[in-house]
Amino acid sequence: MKQRNPEIDMNDVVISIRDLYKSFGSNHVLRGINLDVHKGENVVVLGRSGTGKSVLIKIIVGLLYPDAGTVNVLGKDVSALTEADLRELRMQVGFSFQSAALYDSMTVGENLAFPLRRNNKQISNDQVRRMVDIVLDAVGLSQAINQLPAELSGGQRKRIGIARTLILKPQIMLYDEPTAGLDPITCIEINNLINEVQRRFNTSSIIITHDLTCAKETGDSIAVMQEGQFVAQGSFDDVFRKENDLIQSFYQYNFIQ
Amino acid sequence: MDSSNGQPEKPVISPGVDRFFINVHTTFLFVARFFRELFRFPFETREFIRQCYMVGYKSLALISLTGFITGLVFTKQSRPSLSEFGATSWLPSLIAIAVIRALAPLVTALICAGKVGSSIGAELGSMRVTEQIDAMEVSAINPFKYLVVTRVLATTVCLPILMAYTALVGLLGSYLDVHVNEQTSITFFFLKAFSDITFLDLFASTFKAMAYGFTIGIVSCYQGYNASQGTQGVGKAANISVVISMFLIFIEEVIIVQVVNSIR
């Protein structure tokens, strides 16, 4: 199990969510979510598929708007930001997609350089190359620089997806199902990478997952989501001591006990 | 359509009609956003040039073939009727009027609606369903400006150029038939061909091609950018891009011809 990061600053809340509601038609996805993420903390949101976990992080980054409630990221109310301010904020927040969402027509190197060049018109080619090398080294895929996304395995694609977010040096990382669809060994590698990113780049993170091993290995704290609400929040041990059917069934169906 | 209390809302007219008006409304918002982003700094020059290459240069082979055949076949079809009146000497100007006023803009637009429209619809649709557009947004990149504005601008700028090229190739096809039958020189053919072409004809054709280009670009981008339902949605976006573009091109043709004829 992961040791709690000693660098966590409990007085510095980087993400604060209060009474968050979101519906799609008659489907009430989020029903009053409250969550604080402190500086340097990895918070795992654990829950079954379709419980609104991904919707939650899409609201945090402004891809979706809430029906009610507030989301403060680095002291800014996301729903109230102008387009330009939202773009500014997004440079501080890295988002790793479940599918990695790499640009098919670009090589790995171009995928990584793209956000950097777009957000910094003055940057030289040498600087871009150096940054690309640094993040590729951080995810352990320096040799893949000239490959196309279609030539990569699922695990490699996820790593490059993480590298693409790291290149903008974000303060916050949002991981959407980082281990979904990967073999157990690659899952361990991704879990280690998430912890390495936290240590090396001093990021705060929300990790969305239904993988208990991932939750155990990467989370400083865990929030369990059921039907759009958190039914338990706290450390891994605290949460899994609770008498809740969902939590117990998660435990029963995983082989890590 | 559901209200926030979870009860399905009653349609105002009928679900289909309501959906149609909602689509019209969102399309207008999309077009309005295009013009807003068009004049906002920074301009995506490199991507615009890349798109011009994709729309313009990559369509040249297909345009050359169809343009040439259109001119050749139209001349061959017109010849017997004109021969009856001994008026085959009118062929160059007749063909030039037909090609420049109607055939070149229409053939170019229909070819591009099929080739470019489906390609843009499928590309953006695929980027939407694989979250690549969302990935751009969260990387603080404006995907609308990068993907939509550049493509719509490229189709709007390239269609008139392709149209002029189609007209030229079409006239060359026509010249081939005229030369084989009447041994006319190329200089005489083109002098005769352009003798009845006015500035209004050239201006109207250029304007038409720009309108068709804008239509193809905006319809395809709208369909691709708003694609959903996975791979099925990508196919649907590509297909609807072509169908709606062609439909609108014919409607625009009728309107523009009416307006130009009233000026003439």
Side-chain angles (χ1 to χ4, degrees):
Chain A
M1 195 193 307
K2 188 193 179 203
Q3 295 299 309
R4 191 174 164 81
N5 179 13
E7 305 280 309
I8 296 171
D9 182 354
M10 294 304 285
N11 297 317
D12 190 354
V13 177
V14 291
I15 299 176
S16 170
I17 299 170
R18 292 288 172 270
D19 301 319
L20 191 69
Y21 287 83
K22 178 71 184 173
S23 301
F24 295 99
S26 59
N27 183 14
H28 302 291
V29 180
L30 301 179
R31 307 170 185 218
I33 292 286
N34 290 290
L35 180 71
D36 283 335
V37 179
H38 302 95
K39 188 164 176 57
E41 186 180 25
N42 275 3
V43 175
V44 169
V45 176
L46 187 71
R48 295 186 63 188
S49 299
T51 50
K53 306 186 298 294
S54 298
V55 171
L56 175 66
I57 54 170
K58 283 185 176 173
I59 290 175
I60 291 171
V61 82
L63 282 176
L64 293 172
Y65 284 91
D67 297 337
T70 55
V71 177
N72 269 281
V73 179
L74 299 170
K76 291 168 183 164
D77 182 355
V78 175
S79 314
L81 290 178
T82 62
E83 220 173 297
D85 290 339
L86 184 59
R87 212 162 288 145
E88 193 101 338
L89 179 69
R90 281 170 173 167
M91 290 180 67
Q92 309 295 322
V93 183
F95 193 115
S96 168
F97 286 85
Q98 185 175 349
S99 61
L102 301 179
Y103 309 123
D104 293 331
S105 56
M106 299 182 194
T107 64
V108 166
E110 288 165 347
N111 259 281
L112 301 180
F114 185 63
L116 201 57
R117 286 191 203 279
R118 307 297 311 161
N119 289 299
N120 192 348
K121 296 280 181 195
Q122 311 302 325
I123 198 163
S124 70
N125 287 340
D126 279 350
Q127 285 172 302
V128 171
R129 182 64 201 238
R130 210 173 310 127
M131 286 299 295
V132 168
D133 286 344
I134 288 170
V135 291
L136 271 179
D137 177 58
V139 300
L141 280 173
S142 299
Q143 77 286 357
I145 189 162
N146 293 319
Q147 283 182 278
L148 285 167
E151 297 165 343
L152 303 173
S153 69
Q156 287 174 324
R157 289 170 69 93
K158 295 232 176 176
R159 282 167 174 271
I160 298 299
I162 294 170
R164 189 177 60 187
T165 63
L166 288 176
I167 205 156
L168 291 177
K169 297 180 186 165
Q171 294 184 46
I172 296 168
M173 286 292 291
L174 305 173
Y175 299 94
D176 191 5
E177 304 278 9
T179 57
L182 302 177
D183 66 84
I185 295 165
T186 311
C187 286
I188 293 168
E189 288 172 2
I190 294 287
N191 293 340
N192 292 340
L193 176 62
I194 291 170
N195 291 329
E196 174 67 16
V197 166
Q198 182 192 26
R199 271 193 301 274
R200 192 162 160 186
F201 296 88
N202 194 26
T203 55
S204 318
S205 310
I206 293 181
I207 300 141
I208 300 293
T209 189
H210 54 242
D211 174 3
L212 205 56
T213 313
C214 174
K216 197 178 177 184
E217 295 302 324
T218 60
D220 296 306
S221 66
I222 291 173
V224 181
M225 192 184 259
Q226 186 176 22
E227 291 172 3
Q229 290 175 314
F230 287 139
V231 291
Q233 281 178 271
S235 69
F236 188 87
D237 284 339
D238 291 344
V239 165
F240 281 88
R241 243 180 255 133
K242 288 214 170 197
E243 300 261 333
N244 176 289
D245 287 346
L246 174 79
I247 296 171
Q248 292 314 316
S249 62
F250 253 110
Y251 219 84
Q252 283 165 16
Y253 289 108
N254 279 269
F255 300 107
I256 61 159
Q257 290 178 75
Chain B
M1 274 173 291
D2 295 281
S3 64
S4 56
N5 63 12
Q7 296 301 310
E9 268 177 19
K10 259 183 82 176
V12 181
I13 303 169
S14 76
V17 175
D18 282 13
R19 209 177 311 122
F20 171 77
F21 282 111
I22 290 168
N23 275 336
V24 170
H25 174 70
T26 50
T27 308
F28 271 105
L29 291 180
F30 193 82
V31 175
R33 189 177 175 192
F34 166 79
F35 284 109
R36 213 172 47 239
E37 300 280 4
L38 178 63
F39 298 107
R40 198 181 279 176
F41 191 77
F43 188 67
E44 306 283 354
T45 316
R46 284 182 68 156
E47 181 62 9
F48 168 68
I49 292 168
R50 198 177 77 86
Q51 288 306 320
C52 284
Y53 173 79
M54 301 299 286
V55 174
Y57 184 74
K58 291 273 186 180
S59 304
L60 276 183
L62 198 58
I63 292 281
S64 303
L65 186 71
T66 45
F68 189 84
I69 291 173
T70 304
L72 182 71
V73 170
F74 194 69
T75 311
K76 281 190 178 296
Q77 297 283 14
S78 307
R79 179 178 294 285
S81 308
L82 290 178
S83 294
E84 279 183 33
F85 303 101
T88 47
S89 61
W90 289 1
L91 264 174
S93 53
L94 172 78
I95 301 299
I97 287 171
V99 166
I100 291 169
R101 281 188 192 170
L103 287 175
L106 214 50
V107 166
T108 312
L110 293 178
I111 293 290
C112 285
K115 188 185 177 294
V116 178
S118 61
S119 153
I120 292 176
E123 186 186 12
L124 294 197
S126 148
M127 289 185 78
R128 169 61 76 194
V129 301
T130 56
E131 296 182 308
Q132 290 176 50
I133 292 179
D134 286 343
M136 277 189 193
E137 286 217 33
V138 298
S139 302
I141 297 161
N142 182 347
F144 194 94
K145 197 166 178 57
Y146 185 77
L147 298 171
V148 175
V149 173
T150 51
R151 280 163 176 76
V152 176
L153 212 54
T155 52
T156 311
V157 169
C158 287
L159 255 282
I161 299 167
L162 285 174
M163 184 273 294
Y165 176 76
T166 310
L168 180 70
V169 175
L171 288 176
L172 283 175
S174 172
Y175 167 72
L176 180 71
D177 185 71
V178 171
H179 179 73
V180 167
N181 288 284
E182 276 102 22
Q183 287 77 45
T184 311
S185 76
I186 193 160
T187 320
F188 181 75
F189 175 86
F190 275 94
L191 278 174
K192 198 92 170 90
F194 282 96
S195 60
D196 289 327
I197 299 296
T198 62
F199 173 75
L200 182 64
D201 290 327
L202 297 175
F203 176 79
S205 291
T206 308
F207 177 77
K208 263 201 282 192
M210 282 178 74
Y212 298 158
F214 178 78
T215 303
I216 293 166
I218 208 86
V219 167
S220 314
C221 285
Y222 176 79
Q223 292 300 331
Y225 202 77
N226 295 300
S228 57
Q229 300 166 352
T231 47
Q232 197 186 4
V234 177
K236 200 171 150 193
N239 181 262
I240 293 181
S241 299
V242 178
V243 174
I244 296 183
S245 295
M246 287 187 175
F247 178 70
L248 290 177
I249 284 166
F250 282 113
I251 291 181
E252 286 167 15
E253 172 75 18
V254 172
I255 295 169
I256 295 171
V257 164
Q258 288 296 326
V259 172
V260 172
N261 282 350
S262 68
I263 299 170
R264 205 182 296 280

